[in-house]
Amino acid sequence: MLRTESTKINLMRPLGQPALACAGYRWRENYYSHQRRGGYNIGVRIIEDFLARTNVGRCHDFRETADVISKNAFKLYLGVTPTVTNWSPAGDEFSLQLDSNPLAEFVELPDNHTGLSYSSLLCGVLRGALEMVQMAVDVRIVQDTLQGDLQTELRLRFLRRIEESMPAGEE
Amino acid sequence: MESRFTKGKSALLERAPSRARGDVSLSAFALLFSELVQYCQSRVYSVAELQGHLADLGKRVGIRVLDGLVVRERGGRRETRLLNTLLLVKVNLWRSLFGKEADKLEQANDDDRTFYVIEREPLINAFISVPRDNSSLNCAAFAGGIVEAVLVASGFPAKVTAHWHKGTTLMIRFDESVMARERFLDGR
Protein backbone atom coordinates (compact mmCIF):
# COMPACT_ATOMS: atom_id res chain seq x y z
CA MET A 1 0.00 0.00 0.00
CA LEU A 2 3.00 2.23 -0.25
CA ARG A 3 1.98 3.77 -3.52
CA THR A 4 3.35 7.26 -3.45
CA GLU A 5 1.47 8.97 -6.22
CA SER A 6 -1.93 10.03 -5.05
CA THR A 7 -4.05 7.72 -7.09
CA LYS A 8 -7.62 8.50 -6.45
CA ILE A 9 -10.64 6.45 -7.03
CA ASN A 10 -14.26 7.30 -7.32
CA LEU A 11 -15.70 3.92 -6.75
CA MET A 12 -16.09 4.24 -3.06
CA ARG A 13 -19.06 6.50 -3.30
CA PRO A 14 -21.48 4.13 -4.91
CA LEU A 15 -19.85 1.21 -3.16
CA GLY A 16 -20.50 2.63 0.26
CA GLN A 17 -21.74 -0.01 2.56
CA PRO A 18 -25.43 -0.39 1.87
CA ALA A 19 -24.49 -3.71 0.45
CA LEU A 20 -23.04 -4.77 3.76
CA ALA A 21 -26.09 -3.53 5.53
CA CYS A 22 -28.40 -5.66 3.48
CA ALA A 23 -26.23 -8.60 2.55
CA GLY A 24 -27.31 -10.78 5.38
CA TYR A 25 -27.72 -8.95 8.62
CA ARG A 26 -31.19 -9.27 9.95
CA TRP A 27 -30.46 -7.54 13.19
CA ARG A 28 -29.19 -4.11 13.67
CA GLU A 29 -26.93 -5.16 16.51
CA ASN A 30 -25.23 -7.63 14.22
CA TYR A 31 -24.61 -5.02 11.61
CA TYR A 32 -23.34 -2.70 14.26
CA SER A 33 -20.82 -5.12 15.68
CA HIS A 34 -19.69 -6.24 12.26
CA GLN A 35 -19.16 -2.68 11.15
CA ARG A 36 -17.10 -2.02 14.24
CA ARG A 37 -15.03 -5.12 13.78
CA GLY A 38 -14.59 -4.43 10.07
CA GLY A 39 -13.67 -0.88 10.89
CA TYR A 40 -11.20 -2.06 13.49
CA ASN A 41 -9.45 -4.27 10.95
CA ILE A 42 -9.22 -1.32 8.59
CA GLY A 43 -7.90 0.93 11.33
CA VAL A 44 -5.18 -1.51 12.31
CA ARG A 45 -3.89 -1.47 8.75
CA ILE A 46 -4.61 2.10 7.78
CA ILE A 47 -2.31 3.52 10.43
CA GLU A 48 0.74 2.10 8.65
CA ASP A 49 -0.36 3.67 5.43
CA PHE A 50 -1.03 6.94 7.19
CA LEU A 51 2.36 7.13 8.88
CA ALA A 52 4.10 6.26 5.63
CA ARG A 53 2.33 8.96 3.67
CA THR A 54 2.50 11.77 6.14
CA ASN A 55 5.39 12.96 8.20
CA VAL A 56 3.49 13.08 11.41
CA GLY A 57 5.60 12.34 14.43
CA ARG A 58 4.55 11.26 17.88
CA CYS A 59 1.77 13.34 19.40
CA HIS A 60 2.50 14.93 22.75
CA ASP A 61 -1.03 15.18 24.01
CA PHE A 62 -4.54 14.22 23.09
CA ARG A 63 -5.26 17.66 21.63
CA GLU A 64 -2.52 17.18 19.10
CA THR A 65 -3.91 13.76 18.28
CA ALA A 66 -7.30 15.31 17.67
CA ASP A 67 -5.77 17.82 15.29
CA VAL A 68 -3.89 15.18 13.35
CA ILE A 69 -7.00 13.01 13.06
CA SER A 70 -9.12 15.79 11.67
CA LYS A 71 -6.63 17.77 9.57
CA ASN A 72 -4.49 14.94 8.25
CA ALA A 73 -6.22 11.60 8.50
CA PHE A 74 -9.78 12.50 7.56
CA LYS A 75 -8.49 14.82 4.88
CA LEU A 76 -6.29 12.14 3.37
CA TYR A 77 -8.76 9.29 3.34
CA LEU A 78 -12.18 10.85 3.09
CA GLY A 79 -11.42 14.29 1.72
CA VAL A 80 -13.22 16.12 4.49
CA THR A 81 -11.93 17.97 7.52
CA PRO A 82 -14.13 17.54 10.56
CA THR A 83 -14.21 20.21 13.25
CA VAL A 84 -12.76 19.36 16.62
CA THR A 85 -15.04 20.66 19.37
CA ASN A 86 -16.71 20.04 22.69
CA TRP A 87 -13.63 19.25 24.70
CA SER A 88 -14.37 17.88 28.12
CA PRO A 89 -12.87 19.96 30.96
CA ALA A 90 -10.34 17.24 31.70
CA GLY A 91 -9.18 17.24 28.08
CA ASP A 92 -9.72 13.53 27.60
CA GLU A 93 -12.81 13.63 25.46
CA PHE A 94 -13.71 15.52 22.30
CA SER A 95 -16.03 15.49 19.33
CA LEU A 96 -15.39 15.35 15.61
CA GLN A 97 -18.13 17.09 13.71
CA LEU A 98 -18.52 16.17 10.06
CA ASP A 99 -20.59 18.50 7.93
CA SER A 100 -20.62 15.98 5.14
CA ASN A 101 -20.01 12.30 5.55
CA PRO A 102 -18.77 10.67 2.35
CA LEU A 103 -19.76 7.25 3.61
CA ALA A 104 -23.38 8.19 3.98
CA GLU A 105 -23.73 10.75 1.25
CA PHE A 106 -26.11 8.83 -0.97
CA VAL A 107 -27.78 6.88 1.76
CA GLU A 108 -31.29 6.87 3.04
CA LEU A 109 -32.19 4.48 5.78
CA PRO A 110 -35.15 2.28 4.92
CA ASP A 111 -38.20 2.69 7.08
CA ASN A 112 -37.64 -0.51 9.01
CA HIS A 113 -34.06 0.42 9.92
CA THR A 114 -34.40 4.00 10.97
CA GLY A 115 -32.30 3.49 14.09
CA LEU A 116 -29.36 1.98 12.25
CA SER A 117 -26.04 3.48 13.20
CA TYR A 118 -24.82 3.42 9.65
CA SER A 119 -21.41 4.98 10.01
CA SER A 120 -20.23 2.91 12.93
CA LEU A 121 -17.47 1.73 10.60
CA LEU A 122 -15.71 5.01 11.33
CA CYS A 123 -15.72 4.29 15.06
CA GLY A 124 -13.95 1.01 14.47
CA VAL A 125 -11.38 2.60 12.17
CA LEU A 126 -10.48 5.26 14.72
CA ARG A 127 -10.30 2.77 17.55
CA GLY A 128 -8.13 0.37 15.57
CA ALA A 129 -5.78 3.02 14.28
CA LEU A 130 -5.27 4.66 17.66
CA GLU A 131 -4.77 1.32 19.36
CA MET A 132 -1.79 0.74 17.07
CA VAL A 133 -0.18 3.90 18.41
CA GLN A 134 -0.70 2.85 22.01
CA MET A 135 -3.88 4.74 22.72
CA ALA A 136 -7.00 3.01 23.92
CA VAL A 137 -9.99 5.13 23.05
CA ASP A 138 -13.71 4.72 23.09
CA VAL A 139 -15.48 6.02 19.99
CA ARG A 140 -19.19 6.40 19.52
CA ILE A 141 -21.59 8.27 17.28
CA VAL A 142 -23.66 10.86 19.09
CA GLN A 143 -25.22 12.60 16.11
CA ASP A 144 -25.93 11.21 12.67
CA THR A 145 -27.31 13.03 9.64
CA LEU A 146 -29.12 9.86 8.68
CA GLN A 147 -31.10 10.07 11.89
CA GLY A 148 -32.17 13.60 11.08
CA ASP A 149 -29.39 15.47 12.89
CA LEU A 150 -27.74 18.43 11.23
CA GLN A 151 -24.33 16.88 11.23
CA THR A 152 -22.52 13.70 12.07
CA GLU A 153 -20.67 13.80 15.35
CA LEU A 154 -18.20 11.24 16.61
CA ARG A 155 -17.23 11.31 20.26
CA LEU A 156 -13.76 10.11 21.21
CA ARG A 157 -12.82 9.38 24.79
CA PHE A 158 -9.27 8.64 25.85
CA LEU A 159 -9.18 5.60 28.07
CA ARG A 160 -5.52 4.87 28.76
CA ARG A 161 -2.10 4.47 27.26
CA ILE A 162 -1.36 0.96 26.20
CA GLU A 163 1.99 -0.12 27.57
CA GLU A 164 4.03 -2.04 25.10
CA SER A 165 5.01 -5.42 26.35
CA MET A 166 7.01 -8.22 24.89
CA PRO A 167 4.95 -10.97 23.34
CA ALA A 168 4.87 -13.97 25.63
CA GLY A 169 7.83 -16.27 25.23
CA GLU A 170 10.15 -13.73 23.62
CA GLU A 171 13.03 -12.01 25.27
CA MET B 1 -39.66 17.17 -7.24
CA GLU B 2 -42.67 16.49 -5.13
CA SER B 3 -41.77 16.00 -1.54
CA ARG B 4 -43.65 12.74 -1.19
CA PHE B 5 -41.03 11.14 -3.41
CA THR B 6 -38.08 12.31 -1.43
CA LYS B 7 -39.82 11.98 1.92
CA GLY B 8 -37.91 15.03 3.01
CA LYS B 9 -35.04 12.80 3.96
CA SER B 10 -32.32 13.86 1.62
CA ALA B 11 -31.31 17.31 0.46
CA LEU B 12 -29.23 15.53 -2.15
CA LEU B 13 -32.24 14.91 -4.33
CA GLU B 14 -32.86 18.63 -4.60
CA ARG B 15 -29.41 19.23 -6.04
CA ALA B 16 -28.59 19.42 -9.73
CA PRO B 17 -27.02 16.23 -11.08
CA SER B 18 -23.72 17.89 -11.80
CA ARG B 19 -20.55 15.91 -12.22
CA ALA B 20 -19.74 13.83 -9.21
CA ARG B 21 -17.15 15.74 -7.30
CA GLY B 22 -14.39 14.61 -5.06
CA ASP B 23 -12.39 11.45 -5.30
CA VAL B 24 -11.63 9.15 -2.45
CA SER B 25 -8.20 7.94 -1.48
CA LEU B 26 -7.20 4.68 -3.10
CA SER B 27 -6.07 3.17 0.19
CA ALA B 28 -9.40 3.94 1.79
CA PHE B 29 -11.08 2.14 -1.06
CA ALA B 30 -8.66 -0.76 -1.01
CA LEU B 31 -9.19 -1.31 2.70
CA LEU B 32 -12.95 -1.10 2.42
CA PHE B 33 -12.92 -3.49 -0.51
CA SER B 34 -10.71 -5.85 1.42
CA GLU B 35 -13.29 -5.88 4.21
CA LEU B 36 -15.97 -6.54 1.63
CA VAL B 37 -14.06 -9.53 0.30
CA GLN B 38 -13.38 -10.86 3.80
CA TYR B 39 -17.02 -10.41 4.68
CA CYS B 40 -18.08 -12.45 1.66
CA GLN B 41 -15.37 -15.01 2.29
CA SER B 42 -16.56 -15.61 5.82
CA ARG B 43 -19.87 -16.97 4.58
CA VAL B 44 -19.05 -19.08 1.54
CA TYR B 45 -17.46 -22.47 0.94
CA SER B 46 -16.05 -22.16 -2.57
CA VAL B 47 -14.32 -19.73 -4.90
CA ALA B 48 -17.29 -19.77 -7.27
CA GLU B 49 -19.62 -18.81 -4.45
CA LEU B 50 -17.31 -16.04 -3.34
CA GLN B 51 -17.14 -14.62 -6.84
CA GLY B 52 -20.90 -14.91 -7.07
CA HIS B 53 -21.27 -12.92 -3.86
CA LEU B 54 -18.90 -10.23 -5.09
CA ALA B 55 -20.74 -10.04 -8.40
CA ASP B 56 -24.05 -9.66 -6.55
CA LEU B 57 -22.64 -6.75 -4.58
CA GLY B 58 -21.27 -5.27 -7.81
CA LYS B 59 -24.73 -5.46 -9.34
CA ARG B 60 -26.11 -3.32 -6.58
CA VAL B 61 -23.51 -0.72 -7.51
CA GLY B 62 -24.08 -1.04 -11.25
CA ILE B 63 -27.80 -0.42 -11.07
CA ARG B 64 -27.20 2.78 -9.14
CA VAL B 65 -24.34 3.97 -11.32
CA LEU B 66 -26.20 3.71 -14.62
CA ASP B 67 -28.75 6.46 -14.06
CA GLY B 68 -26.23 9.03 -12.96
CA LEU B 69 -23.97 8.09 -15.85
CA VAL B 70 -26.66 8.49 -18.49
CA VAL B 71 -27.79 11.83 -17.09
CA ARG B 72 -24.28 13.21 -16.76
CA GLU B 73 -22.56 11.85 -19.83
CA ARG B 74 -25.36 11.36 -22.34
CA GLY B 75 -27.74 14.18 -21.50
CA GLY B 76 -30.35 11.72 -20.31
CA ARG B 77 -30.44 9.66 -23.52
CA ARG B 78 -30.05 5.90 -23.22
CA GLU B 79 -28.11 3.99 -25.82
CA THR B 80 -30.09 1.56 -27.95
CA ARG B 81 -27.31 -0.03 -30.00
CA LEU B 82 -24.93 -2.71 -28.83
CA LEU B 83 -21.68 -1.07 -29.78
CA ASN B 84 -22.55 2.28 -28.24
CA THR B 85 -23.58 0.57 -25.03
CA LEU B 86 -20.30 -1.29 -24.91
CA LEU B 87 -18.45 1.96 -25.50
CA LEU B 88 -20.43 3.56 -22.69
CA VAL B 89 -19.11 0.80 -20.47
CA LYS B 90 -15.53 0.93 -21.72
CA VAL B 91 -15.15 4.70 -21.76
CA ASN B 92 -17.65 6.49 -19.56
CA LEU B 93 -18.37 3.89 -16.91
CA TRP B 94 -14.71 3.08 -16.46
CA ARG B 95 -13.72 6.69 -16.34
CA SER B 96 -16.30 7.57 -13.75
CA LEU B 97 -15.41 4.60 -11.56
CA PHE B 98 -11.68 4.21 -12.03
CA GLY B 99 -10.60 7.52 -13.54
CA LYS B 100 -9.45 5.99 -16.83
CA GLU B 101 -10.75 4.06 -19.79
CA ALA B 102 -10.62 0.29 -19.86
CA ASP B 103 -7.56 -0.92 -21.75
CA LYS B 104 -9.27 -2.90 -24.48
CA LEU B 105 -12.60 -3.95 -25.85
CA GLU B 106 -12.61 -6.97 -28.14
CA GLN B 107 -15.07 -9.25 -29.82
CA ALA B 108 -14.53 -12.98 -29.79
CA ASN B 109 -13.41 -14.39 -33.16
CA ASP B 110 -15.71 -17.36 -33.16
CA ASP B 111 -18.79 -15.96 -31.45
CA ASP B 112 -20.46 -12.67 -32.21
CA ARG B 113 -22.30 -12.47 -28.90
CA THR B 114 -19.18 -12.62 -26.79
CA PHE B 115 -17.13 -9.54 -26.00
CA TYR B 116 -14.15 -8.95 -23.76
CA VAL B 117 -13.24 -5.96 -21.68
CA ILE B 118 -9.56 -6.33 -20.92
CA GLU B 119 -7.68 -4.60 -18.13
CA ARG B 120 -4.00 -5.25 -17.67
CA GLU B 121 -3.90 -3.98 -14.11
CA PRO B 122 -7.37 -3.37 -12.78
CA LEU B 123 -7.45 -0.97 -9.88
CA ILE B 124 -9.69 -3.33 -7.97
CA ASN B 125 -7.01 -6.02 -7.94
CA ALA B 126 -4.12 -3.63 -7.31
CA PHE B 127 -3.56 -4.68 -3.71
CA ILE B 128 -4.97 -8.16 -3.77
CA SER B 129 -2.66 -11.12 -3.70
CA VAL B 130 -4.48 -14.28 -4.57
CA PRO B 131 -3.62 -17.28 -2.38
CA ARG B 132 -1.98 -20.06 -4.32
CA ASP B 133 -4.49 -22.74 -3.37
CA ASN B 134 -7.39 -20.96 -5.05
CA SER B 135 -5.62 -19.16 -7.83
CA SER B 136 -8.72 -18.94 -9.98
CA LEU B 137 -10.20 -16.35 -7.65
CA ASN B 138 -10.49 -12.99 -9.33
CA CYS B 139 -11.97 -10.23 -7.23
CA ALA B 140 -12.71 -8.27 -10.39
CA ALA B 141 -15.87 -10.35 -10.31
CA PHE B 142 -17.11 -7.30 -8.46
CA ALA B 143 -16.43 -5.13 -11.53
CA GLY B 144 -18.07 -7.85 -13.61
CA GLY B 145 -21.18 -7.50 -11.49
CA ILE B 146 -21.18 -3.76 -12.06
CA VAL B 147 -20.91 -4.19 -15.83
CA GLU B 148 -23.58 -6.86 -15.89
CA ALA B 149 -26.03 -4.71 -14.00
CA VAL B 150 -25.34 -1.72 -16.25
CA LEU B 151 -25.93 -3.82 -19.38
CA VAL B 152 -29.03 -5.55 -18.07
CA ALA B 153 -30.54 -2.31 -16.85
CA SER B 154 -29.84 -0.74 -20.26
CA GLY B 155 -31.91 -3.45 -21.88
CA PHE B 156 -29.05 -5.69 -23.01
CA PRO B 157 -29.39 -8.90 -21.03
CA ALA B 158 -25.94 -10.44 -20.61
CA LYS B 159 -23.81 -12.64 -18.41
CA VAL B 160 -20.46 -11.22 -17.28
CA THR B 161 -17.68 -13.31 -15.80
CA ALA B 162 -14.15 -12.40 -14.71
CA HIS B 163 -11.10 -14.37 -15.81
CA TRP B 164 -7.33 -14.20 -15.56
CA HIS B 165 -6.27 -13.66 -19.14
CA LYS B 166 -3.96 -10.87 -20.36
CA GLY B 167 -4.37 -9.38 -16.93
CA THR B 168 -8.03 -9.45 -16.11
CA THR B 169 -10.64 -10.08 -18.74
CA LEU B 170 -14.33 -9.55 -18.21
CA MET B 171 -16.18 -11.84 -20.56
CA ILE B 172 -19.54 -10.45 -21.66
CA ARG B 173 -21.90 -12.91 -23.25
CA PHE B 174 -25.06 -11.32 -24.57
CA ASP B 175 -28.42 -12.98 -24.65
CA GLU B 176 -29.57 -14.23 -28.06
CA SER B 177 -32.46 -11.74 -28.00
CA VAL B 178 -29.97 -8.87 -28.02
CA MET B 179 -28.29 -10.18 -31.17
CA ALA B 180 -31.64 -10.75 -32.87
CA ARG B 181 -32.63 -7.17 -32.15
CA GLU B 182 -29.30 -5.89 -33.45
CA ARG B 183 -29.76 -7.80 -36.70
CA PHE B 184 -33.26 -6.40 -37.02
CA LEU B 185 -32.05 -2.83 -36.46
CA ASP B 186 -29.19 -3.36 -38.93
CA GLY B 187 -31.62 -4.56 -41.59
CA ARG B 188 -33.81 -1.51 -41.39
Side-chain angles (χ1 to χ4, degrees), chain B residues 77-94:
Chain B
R77 288 171 65 99
R78 296 280 184 113
E79 299 294 348
T80 53
R81 297 307 300 267
L82 184 71
L83 193 61
N84 289 343
T85 307
L86 283 170
L87 282 175
L88 179 83
V89 167
K90 174 185 187 272
V91 180
N92 304 93
L93 176 68
W94 239 253

Side-chain angles (χ1 to χ4, degrees), chain A residues 55-69:
Chain A
N55 278 321
V56 177
R58 190 168 282 276
C59 294
H60 297 290
D61 55 12
F62 203 41
R63 281 178 189 272
E64 203 180 329
T65 311
D67 257 12
V68 170
I69 289 175

Side-chain angles (χ1 to χ4, degrees), chain A residues 7-13 15 19 23 25 34 38 41-42 45-46 49 53 76-77 105-106 109 111, chain B residues 7 9-10 12-13 21-29 31 34-35 39 43 57 61 96-97 123 142:
Chain A
T7 323
K8 304 272 179 126
I9 186 166
N10 216 343
L11 189 68
M12 217 168 99
R13 282 161 190 286
L15 172 67
Y25 283 107
H34 183 270
N41 293 341
I42 291 180
R45 297 171 69 187
I46 211 169
D49 186 61
R53 275 172 200 272
L76 181 63
Y77 293 111
E105 199 165 349
F106 296 109
L109 294 179
D111 288 335
Chain B
K7 294 194 220 155
K9 270 184 185 168
S10 173
L12 202 71
L13 295 174
R21 60 167 181 87
D23 294 342
V24 176
S25 132
L26 179 59
S27 7
F29 162 74
L31 285 161
S34 135
E35 281 305 316
Y39 168 81
R43 46 197 62 216
L57 293 174
V61 176
S96 78
L97 292 180
L123 211 47
F142 183 75

